[in-house]
Amino acid sequence: MSQANAVPETNEWADADHARGFLDRRDGLPRIDVAYSELLQILPANPRRVLDLGCGDGKVMAMIGGPGVAVDFSPHMLEQARARFHADDVDVVDHNLNAPLPDLGTFDVIVSAFAIHHCSDDRKRALYGEVFELLEPGGTFANLEHVASPTQTLHEEFLGLIGSSPETEDPSNQLVAPETQLRWLREIGFTDVECFWKWRELALLAGRKPNL
Ligand SMILES: C[S@@+](CC[C@H](N)C(=O)[O-])C[C@H]1O[C@@H](n2cnc3c(N)ncnc32)[C@H](O)[C@@H]1O
């Protein structure tokens, strides 16, 4: 599916084979280790309570360290995350990000990695607003995200670099330009909004909730 008309009717991530396919490929994706490392670098040391949206098997939450809450809706990913965190102070919550976030308490760090681009654009923006509400003053939201390329040519180049193509790319993707998402964050009230790192369609978008 091309970027221009990427409005999927289904979200493939509920399918166990789709989830397994990502986990099998993840370590081989170009720049992925750099991307996660850049995410960790902009977070405060020793966060009080962390929320991970679209946690997958819990890799990011484990790198940050709990306590916290890890949210996903894929049965396979939830099973993997629960196995990883069974002895840790991390609650793994089954929730579809297309619905408003449930009452999860408050957090000083909220992260997401390569997940929110599976929501519609309206839902992405609304979710960013819900994140703002769940953040404590001074708290950080960091979204390591798959974003849109400025042109179809660059999009197809990116797909080639990750071993994909317009024919095989994830039909669940609903990519938005980083500039648009940074604007949404500022409009919602986040401060220190910045794209802290970017390689092709991988971008680290972040902001803080102002202190009172
Ligand atoms: C590319 S994987 C990334 C997983 C993990 N964050 C990581 O970096 O390894 C995308 C994740 O988003 C989750 N996801 C996609 N759409 C979702 C939705 N509507 N609600 C909750 N989780 C969703 C998928 O189940 C999957 O675990």
Side-chain angles (χ1 to χ4, degrees):
M1 180 178 295
S2 77
Q3 233 180 350
N5 59 4
V7 183
E9 292 170 3
T10 59
N11 186 326
E12 301 279 316
W13 287 92
D15 179 69
D17 286 340
H18 193 80
R20 273 191 214 101
F22 169 74
L23 296 178
D24 289 346
R25 283 195 322 277
R26 182 174 55 196
D27 289 349
L29 290 171
R31 307 296 202 282
I32 193 81
D33 289 343
V34 180
Y36 289 132
S37 164
E38 294 289 336
L39 169 65
L40 294 183
Q41 284 179 40
I42 65 165
L43 301 180
N46 306 313
R48 186 190 69 79
R49 194 160 181 261
V50 180
L51 173 62
D52 183 359
L53 300 171
C55 64
D57 66 346
K59 178 182 172 105
V60 171
M61 180 62 103
M63 288 191 299
I64 299 168
V69 179
V71 168
D72 208 287
F73 84 138
S74 150
H76 181 71
M77 292 300 201
L78 290 165
E79 187 184 318
Q80 299 290 310
R82 287 189 174 121
R84 187 194 286 271
F85 296 125
H86 74 279
D88 297 334
D89 196 5
V90 174
D91 294 326
V92 178
V93 173
D94 182 356
H95 176 74
N96 189 326
L97 295 174
N98 288 330
L101 291 174
D103 182 6
L104 299 169
T106 62
F107 302 87
D108 58 340
V109 168
I110 300 181
V111 296
S112 185
F114 310 122
I116 295 174
H117 68 281
H118 300 116
C119 297
S120 71
D121 294 358
D122 285 350
R123 180 63 198 136
K124 289 182 188 78
R125 197 186 187 290
L127 180 56
Y128 292 164
E130 292 163 21
V131 164
F132 189 81
E133 294 306 316
L134 294 188
L135 265 186
E136 295 160 3
T140 300
F141 173 48
N143 185 16
L144 184 59
E145 187 58 301
H146 183 177
V147 299
S149 283
T151 67
Q152 184 65 21
T153 300
L154 290 175
H155 178 55
E156 292 181 19
E157 280 183 19
F158 172 77
L159 291 176
L161 290 166
I162 64 166
S164 185
S165 69
E167 291 72 37
T168 61
E169 77 171 295
D170 185 349
S172 321
N173 289 348
Q174 303 190 59
L175 307 180
V176 177
E179 297 86 350
T180 304
Q181 304 196 59
L182 295 173
R183 175 170 54 77
W184 288 344
L185 294 175
R186 293 189 187 101
E187 287 171 356
I188 288 164
F190 285 94
T191 188
D192 297 329
V193 172
E194 173 68 298
C195 177
F196 284 89
W197 175 85
K198 186 173 184 296
W199 176 76
R200 300 283 181 149
E201 293 190 0
L202 310 185
L204 176 56
L205 311 174
R208 298 192 182 109
K209 183 162 178 167
N211 278 302
L212 292 175

